[in-house]
Amino acid sequence: MHALIYTSKAVDSFVSSEIYDMLNNARAFNQEHRITGCLLYHQNQFIQLLEGEAPMVRELYSRIEKDRRHTSLALLSEERIDSRIFEEWHMAFYNFSSPEEDAIFKEHQLATFFENSNLFKKASKSGLLFFKSVRNLLGNNSPQ
């Protein structure tokens, strides 16, 4: 089993409805190829964790690298894992970009979101890095 984490920035023309279309296509692709993971979006920034067999995860990442809907792609981590964090989620998604959400609400939503994953049951280097990176993206650099 393999895990990969990356960040990227959505191009300005990539609107919300297109993001949801992309998400639906990703879920179908991931289900067919036994890939699980999580995609979070905040202020035009994406962070994604992908889990699956190494060849398929790397192939998907290669496709993502060529996708013109985002820029500034940065690979944060890639490693072998023993088990999936998001084993039931072909692509969990959360949009933290709602302007009415304050920091306390975002922190609560983030905690709830991750409690529904296996992150806290099956802690791994990738999972902890993903959670820390999401917190940083949301502007909350408080210790875990």
Side-chain angles (χ1 to χ4, degrees), residues 2 24 36 49 57 63 67 77 107-109 135 137 143:
H2 194 74
N24 287 332
T36 56
L49 179 138
V57 169
R63 291 173 55 168
D67 190 329
S77 173
E107 184 66 22
H108 172 74
Q109 290 292 88
R135 289 173 62 109
L137 178 71

Side-chain angles (χ1 to χ4, degrees), residues 4 6-8 22 26 29-30 39 48 50 57-71 73 91:
L4 183 147
Y6 75 89
T7 60
S8 67
M22 174 201 66
F29 178 90
N30 290 356
L39 175 66
Q48 184 168 32
L50 299 168
V57 169
R58 287 185 181 128
E59 180 183 323
L60 177 56
Y61 184 69
S62 178
R63 291 173 55 168
I64 291 167
E65 286 179 306
K66 296 171 187 152
D67 190 329
R68 295 177 185 244
R69 296 175 291 190
H70 60 128
T71 62
L73 192 73
M91 189 48 55

Side-chain angles (χ1 to χ4, degrees), residues 9-11 14 18 21-22 25 46 67-71:
K9 181 178 181 194
V11 296
F14 198 23
E18 292 174 315
D21 287 343
M22 174 201 66
N25 292 334
F46 289 107
D67 190 329
R68 295 177 185 244
R69 296 175 291 190
H70 60 128
T71 62

Side-chain angles (χ1 to χ4, degrees), residues 116-135:
N116 291 323
S117 73
N118 288 324
L119 178 64
F120 300 115
K121 296 175 193 159
K122 299 178 181 180
S124 68
K125 183 179 167 186
S126 289
L128 296 174
L129 175 62
F130 183 67
F131 186 63
K132 180 180 178 183
S133 298
V134 168
R135 289 173 62 109

Side-chain angles (χ1 to χ4, degrees), residues 16-84:
S16 187
S17 61
E18 292 174 315
I19 291 171
Y20 285 99
D21 287 343
M22 174 201 66
L23 181 62
N24 287 332
N25 292 334
R27 284 179 174 149
F29 178 90
N30 290 356
Q31 184 171 9
E32 182 179 335
H33 295 93
R34 299 185 32 128
I35 294 173
T36 56
C38 182
L39 175 66
L40 296 168
Y41 180 73
H42 179 65
Q43 297 178 343
N44 282 14
Q45 298 285 319
F46 289 107
I47 182 166
Q48 184 168 32
L49 179 138
L50 299 168
E51 306 167 315
E53 296 303 322
M56 282 310 309
V57 169
R58 287 185 181 128
E59 180 183 323
L60 177 56
Y61 184 69
S62 178
R63 291 173 55 168
I64 291 167
E65 286 179 306
K66 296 171 187 152
D67 190 329
R68 295 177 185 244
R69 296 175 291 190
H70 60 128
T71 62
S72 305
L73 192 73
L75 181 63
L76 300 182
S77 173
E78 185 174 9
E79 70 173 339
R80 185 189 178 293
I81 57 173
D82 293 326
S83 61
R84 297 173 190 258

